[in-house]
Amino acid sequence: MEYDVIVIGGGAAGLMAACTAAERGRRVLLIEKMDQAGRKLRITGKGRCNLTNTNPLRDTLPHIGSDARFLRNAYGRFFNQQLMEWFEQRGVELTVERGNRVYPASGKALDIFLALINELEQNPNVTIRKNTTAKSIETFERKTTAVILDRGERIPCRHVILATGGLSYPTTGSTGAGYRIARELGHTVVEPVPSLVALKCQEKIPEELIGFQLKNVQLTVCGKAFFGEMTFVNDGLAGPIVLSASRIASRSLHKGESLTALLDLKPALSPEQLDKRLLADIDANGTRVFNDALRLWLPAELISLALPQLHIEYYKRLHQITGEERHRLRDWLKGVRFTLTGTHDWNEAVVTQGGIALNEVNPKTMESRLISGLHIVGELLDLDADTGGYNLQIAFSTGHAAGEAV
């Protein structure tokens, strides 16, 4: 049997592409290498699935790396409101939480997956083959003609939507096979690196700090500041602002470069305001010894990190603190330095940075500019974004655009 379209990969982008194509009456074959589709989708957002963000387009594009303009056309036709309506029409109640993040009201990512898979299973135009691996795409005169499976089976088709995902969370089936297939067809692949991932640092993290969370702090990496929550891990830094910072740090770190991160523990105060506060606190607590008085300005857990770096005698009375030492304390509170040396691995990375070069893909249809009938979607593309639902919106929008075009 010849299919109108074969979708390779049953993640968010592939499922949406298959749904859209089937809704238009196309004969669709969805190939999924795992025993179940949507494995990564079902664990995203710690199992809650932050599927999009209600920010308008102008506020969304700055959250997207590489070339966000690539998405303007796809977003113009299927953006956050259309995506929310798609799921609501299929019985999924949604809720908007802090930061304009959209979740299923049930708090279960499974509901998002079930809406997609049920749509496909109920459509007579759709065939789903699980535990099936696509080895290559057959072409003739630079046009897709068939998909070849790993056991040699040839399945004829007019269009192929390549939606195999990146390299993050490999246990869900993201092995990077799509990059190999695309390369074999002549596509350029920007080296994939982990993104939205914890960062390693050179400095030793005191044992009592491991797992400790800081709120309302600011981390500056490569000149860009990120405000919010951060957590210490045994070999470095994690938490929301660290994941966001990893997007601009990961590629340099994977080239072997080291970077400096500055942690501002008092972002609400200017250096001058903080200095006045320190003066007032020192005057009011002059007889307290320094290591005890640090609790005036720090959580107790941070003292073990501060003392070795401040080079101020532990048992010095506050009234004995010199102006230079006070300035040293002020500067440390406004900029704790960490030397970044790497990232955690693919098992922890939320998304992949890098992928198939955007200038080789038509942004209206996601069709390859090299191979007619081949469409490339989702995390395979050289597109990634901040946390907040932006990455899943990329997957759904690019999948929808491809499904409309086949």
Side-chain angles (χ1 to χ4, degrees), residues 160-315:
V160 177
I161 298 177
L162 193 57
T164 56
L167 285 163
S168 59
Y169 295 132
T171 56
T172 65
S174 298
T175 61
Y179 300 133
R180 175 189 55 77
I181 292 173
R183 281 195 184 100
E184 290 174 354
L185 295 172
H187 274 285
T188 303
V189 178
V190 178
E191 182 191 3
V193 296
S195 188
L196 300 186
V197 65
L199 298 174
K200 297 179 181 180
C201 69
Q202 181 176 294
E203 292 76 13
K204 180 176 173 56
I205 304 300
E207 187 174 344
E208 57 269 32
L209 261 186
I210 296 173
F212 182 70
Q213 183 184 72
L214 289 170
K215 296 184 178 181
N216 302 318
V217 295
Q218 181 172 286
L219 189 73
T220 300
V221 178
C222 299
K224 187 170 182 179
F226 303 87
F227 179 83
E229 299 175 1
M230 191 195 90
T231 304
F232 291 94
V233 290
N234 62 346
D235 58 355
L237 316 174
I241 61 174
V242 176
L243 299 192
S244 295
S246 74
R247 284 192 55 241
I248 62 172
S250 183
R251 190 161 297 282
S252 295
L253 293 172
H254 279 266
K255 289 179 181 177
E257 301 175 20
S258 62
L259 301 172
T260 298
L262 295 177
L263 174 63
D264 187 346
L265 298 168
K266 306 292 181 183
L269 299 175
S270 69
E272 294 76 21
Q273 290 171 325
L274 179 57
D275 199 45
K276 288 181 180 179
R277 176 180 164 182
L278 292 176
L279 271 171
D281 288 342
I282 288 170
D283 286 343
N285 298 272
T287 59
R288 291 180 66 174
V289 294
F290 181 67
N291 64 339
D292 173 63
L294 273 174
R295 297 184 185 182
L296 293 168
W297 311 296
L298 292 172
E301 291 85 353
L302 274 179
I303 292 176
S304 60
L305 181 70
L307 282 173
Q309 297 183 16
L310 287 170
H311 304 292
I312 299 174
E313 293 179 20
Y314 293 11
Y315 297 105

Side-chain angles (χ1 to χ4, degrees), residues 84-101:
M84 292 169 68
E85 288 170 9
W86 195 95
F87 283 103
E88 288 169 341
Q89 288 168 2
R90 287 155 181 83
V92 181
E93 185 180 351
L94 302 175
T95 184
V96 181
E97 299 185 7
R98 181 170 58 93
N100 297 326
R101 300 176 182 220

Side-chain angles (χ1 to χ4, degrees), residues 37 78 121 178 187 324-325 364 382:
F78 191 76
E121 290 177 342
H187 274 285
E324 188 275 334
E325 289 172 329
K364 294 182 180 179
D382 182 20

Side-chain angles (χ1 to χ4, degrees), residues 21-226:
E23 189 176 9
R24 299 177 63 243
R26 304 298 185 258
R27 296 187 306 277
V28 178
L29 171 63
L30 175 66
I31 294 176
E32 169 56 47
K33 68 181 293 185
M34 306 296 282
D35 58 354
Q36 290 181 313
R39 282 199 169 193
K40 185 176 178 182
L41 180 61
R42 283 179 281 165
I43 65 170
T44 188
K46 298 180 179 178
R48 296 186 63 226
C49 192
N50 177 196
L51 74 155
T52 189
N53 192 293
T54 61
N55 277 340
L57 183 62
R58 67 178 180 276
D59 295 333
T60 295
L61 294 182
H63 288 278
I64 299 168
S66 191
D67 186 358
R69 295 171 299 176
F70 178 87
L71 290 165
R72 281 188 175 275
N73 192 283
Y75 278 2
R77 290 176 286 131
F78 191 76
F79 192 37
N80 46 26
Q81 293 304 316
Q82 290 83 5
L83 178 65
M84 292 169 68
E85 288 170 9
W86 195 95
F87 283 103
E88 288 169 341
Q89 288 168 2
R90 287 155 181 83
V92 181
E93 185 180 351
L94 302 175
T95 184
V96 181
E97 299 185 7
R98 181 170 58 93
N100 297 326
R101 300 176 182 220
V102 180
Y103 294 87
S106 65
K108 297 178 181 178
L110 182 63
D111 289 352
I112 298 299
F113 166 71
L114 289 176
L116 291 159
I117 201 69
N118 289 342
E119 183 83 1
L120 295 176
E121 290 177 342
Q122 294 167 10
N123 192 314
N125 292 320
V126 178
T127 301
I128 300 173
R129 289 183 59 171
K130 293 177 277 192
N131 293 309
T132 302
T133 300
K135 179 182 178 182
S136 61
I137 297 171
E138 178 188 275
T139 64
F140 178 72
E141 295 182 346
R142 309 303 290 173
K143 178 174 175 56
T144 58
T145 54
V147 170
I148 310 300
L149 303 185
D150 60 346
R151 295 182 181 178
E153 182 182 354
R154 178 183 181 273
I155 308 177
C157 61
R158 295 171 55 241
H159 294 268
V160 177
I161 298 177
L162 193 57
T164 56
L167 285 163
S168 59
Y169 295 132
T171 56
T172 65
S174 298
T175 61
Y179 300 133
R180 175 189 55 77
I181 292 173
R183 281 195 184 100
E184 290 174 354
L185 295 172
H187 274 285
T188 303
V189 178
V190 178
E191 182 191 3
V193 296
S195 188
L196 300 186
V197 65
L199 298 174
K200 297 179 181 180
C201 69
Q202 181 176 294
E203 292 76 13
K204 180 176 173 56
I205 304 300
E207 187 174 344
E208 57 269 32
L209 261 186
I210 296 173
F212 182 70
Q213 183 184 72
L214 289 170
K215 296 184 178 181
N216 302 318
V217 295
Q218 181 172 286
L219 189 73
T220 300
V221 178
C222 299
K224 187 170 182 179
F226 303 87

